[in-house]
Amino acid sequence: MATEILVPTLGESITEATLGEWLKQPGDRVEADEPVASLETDKVSVEVPAPAAGVMGAHGVNVGDTVNVGAVIGAIEAGDGAPAAKADAPAPQQAAPAPAPTPPEAGQQAPASPAGEPSSNVEAAALSPSVRRAILEHGVDPANIKGTGKDGRITKDDVVAAASNKASTPASPPAAPAPTAQAASAPTGNRGEERVRMTRLRQTIAKRLKEAQDTAALLTTFNDVDMTAVIEARTKYKDLFEKKHGVRLGFMGFFVKAACQALRDIPSVNAQIDGDEIVYHDYADISVAVSAPQGLVVPVIRNADAMSVAEVEKTIGDFGKRAKDGTLKMDEMKGGTFTISNGGVFGSLMSTPIINPPQSAVLGLHRIEDRPVVRDGQVVVRPMMYLALSYDHRLIDGREAVTFLVALKNAIEDPTRLLIDL
């Protein structure tokens, strides 16, 4: 008797999702609670566990289809005898001639696999359609690719990186199949196109950012900050800090604490509009923009104003790791009263970030670079960073926005202010 695979509850107010990937193919052996599919919601990816052990039946929906909570997307067939026999069948047949195929398998078995199919070391079921297409286009062997995705799965970026390494290696035999595969997929040269459906997360990001532009009266004000004092403090105490707290001392801890102090002094930056009312918060829940494989996610540091720098750094480090693994929970990305986005890690010099509704402001951090500045009448070189505060002008006046940035700048340039509450 077959056991139906149902779309699990996805969280409050989330009623549907997109089937992002089938992790098990029909006929595969499945253990109870083993992930069989991956769903993409507005915020995170959710794995669908197998309701029982058995054999994966036919897929009820296709990759990219929209499914509702509680919908049937497949089934687990009863019985484990068939898959076991299927797996054991080749062994007795090849028991006698086993020594013959062994030498080729130890040599160059993978390139000889037909039509660029994944080798026996990598289950085809573990490869998404876009990854399989990339493998065919680049002519690489997935068995030689180290996956950086969730649970070690191979991503499209892994295939591209492996192809780049292969092209830079002076070994001519492996490089020969690549042009052939490319020529077959793009007969007109290097003008190929690929049409890929937007993930639900990317659709949500696009919708929310456009909604922010259409609703809020966006304005951005800039300032710059001398990072000398923070860099010196970090250099002096980073080893002791990591030894005591088990986490590296970064710059975000300083900026989060400085922002919390400035938000307390300028409460409108920490407020939001709800209809014809203004909601002021006496706490600071700081949303931190984190880059994930499927897009930008914004987990929230709850009560950041009551945390130490070490607690902030630990929380951010945990968010970053779990964003990469795709294990962030939906509740961790709800709410938030103010956002900090650090484009400097990607080399951005200056930007105008867009607010994260219903929040009213977002702070953009950028790369640190040495620039000539005037100090005490002398031109000196200092590590400088541009700051950008985008805000909803319906709620926040220019005076308040500038005052907020100046307060934050003062705290970063003289971190002692954070200790004595100035």
Side-chain angles (χ1 to χ4, degrees):
M1 181 177 178
T3 303
E4 294 180 335
I5 302 174
L6 305 179
V7 176
T9 302
L10 301 173
E12 183 182 355
S13 76
I14 298 180
T15 60
E16 63 179 22
T18 300
L19 183 68
E21 184 181 2
W22 278 108
L23 306 178
K24 292 293 183 179
Q25 300 301 314
D28 287 353
R29 178 81 177 102
V30 178
E31 300 296 335
D33 296 324
E34 183 179 6
V36 296
S38 176
L39 300 175
E40 294 177 353
T41 70
D42 292 351
K43 297 182 178 180
V44 295
S45 294
V46 178
E47 290 185 338
V48 181
V55 181
M56 185 69 197
H59 295 162
V61 295
N62 298 320
V63 172
D65 289 351
T66 298
V67 294
N68 295 320
V69 172
V72 179
I73 61 174
I76 302 296
E77 304 290 344
D80 18 84
K86 184 177 180 181
D88 296 336
Q93 292 175 4
Q94 295 187 6
T102 303
E105 209 166 37
Q108 294 291 332
Q109 179 68 16
S113 51
E117 286 294 323
S119 68
S120 58
N121 294 346
V122 178
E123 289 290 341
L127 304 177
S128 66
S130 61
V131 172
R132 295 184 194 177
R133 188 184 307 114
I135 288 173
L136 292 174
E137 290 176 354
H138 294 285
V140 295
D141 179 8
N144 298 327
I145 301 176
K146 180 177 176 59
T148 60
K150 187 175 181 181
D151 297 329
R153 295 182 193 132
I154 297 174
T155 66
K156 187 176 180 181
D157 290 339
D158 296 332
V159 176
V160 174
S164 300
N165 293 336
K166 181 179 177 182
S168 61
T169 303
S172 47
T180 305
Q182 290 178 352
S185 61
T188 57
N190 296 327
R191 292 175 57 81
E193 295 181 355
E194 181 181 11
R195 189 176 293 271
V196 179
R197 180 173 179 149
M198 291 176 68
T199 64
R200 180 169 290 272
L201 177 60
R202 178 54 58 185
Q203 293 178 41
T204 302
I205 291 173
K207 179 181 177 181
R208 287 178 60 82
L209 293 182
K210 185 57 181 172
E211 184 181 276
Q213 288 183 318
D214 292 341
T215 304
L218 290 177
L219 187 63
T220 304
T221 186
F222 300 93
N223 211 321
D224 61 2
V225 58
D226 187 341
M227 296 291 292
T228 300
V230 168
I231 290 175
E232 289 178 350
R234 183 171 178 268
T235 302
K236 184 176 181 179
Y237 296 111
K238 64 179 182 180
D239 293 336
L240 289 174
F241 186 90
E242 185 171 4
K243 183 177 180 180
K244 179 176 180 179
H245 300 290
V247 64
R248 294 181 60 186
L249 176 60
F251 296 120
M252 282 297 290
F254 290 98
F255 277 102
V256 169
K257 295 304 295 179
C260 289
Q261 183 170 289
L263 290 173
R264 185 196 59 196
D265 295 339
I266 316 294
S268 61
V269 181
N270 197 40
Q272 66 186 54
I273 295 177
D274 184 11
D276 58 357
E277 296 179 333
I278 299 175
V279 180
Y280 291 95
H281 305 100
D282 62 358
Y283 54 87
D285 285 351
I286 306 298
S287 303
V288 182
V290 177
S291 180
Q294 66 271 30
L296 194 70
V297 293
V298 192
V300 180
I301 306 174
R302 310 286 180 189
N303 298 314
D305 51 318
M307 287 185 173
S308 65
V309 172
E311 291 171 328
V312 170
E313 291 288 359
K314 287 179 181 179
T315 304
I316 294 175
D318 177 60
F319 283 158
K321 181 179 182 298
R322 291 193 289 122
K324 184 177 179 180
D325 295 341
T327 56
L328 281 174
K329 299 178 181 177
M330 294 181 191
D331 289 343
E332 294 174 315
M333 290 180 281
K334 291 181 180 178
T337 61
F338 181 77
T339 295
I340 299 179
S341 178
N342 186 7
V345 296
F346 304 109
S348 173
L349 176 64
M350 188 178 291
S351 67
T352 55
I354 301 177
I355 64 173
N356 180 24
Q359 298 175 20
S360 299
V362 53
L363 175 67
L365 308 182
H366 302 90
R367 76 170 185 250
I368 303 170
E369 65 175 10
D370 289 340
R371 290 201 296 270
V373 294
V374 178
R375 296 287 185 268
D376 300 324
Q378 301 293 321
V379 177
V380 294
V381 176
R382 291 287 188 268
M384 304 297 294
M385 175 195 289
Y386 286 118
L387 304 176
L389 181 73
S390 291
Y391 57 97
D392 189 346
H393 211 347
R394 298 178 302 167
L395 172 60
I396 303 170
D397 295 330
R399 175 182 61 85
E400 294 169 315
V402 172
T403 302
F404 172 89
L405 268 189
V406 170
L408 189 141
K409 170 186 171 74
N410 290 337
I412 293 297
E413 292 186 341
D414 184 7
T416 305
R417 288 172 172 267
L418 297 175
L419 299 177
I420 60 178
D421 197 18
L422 283 180

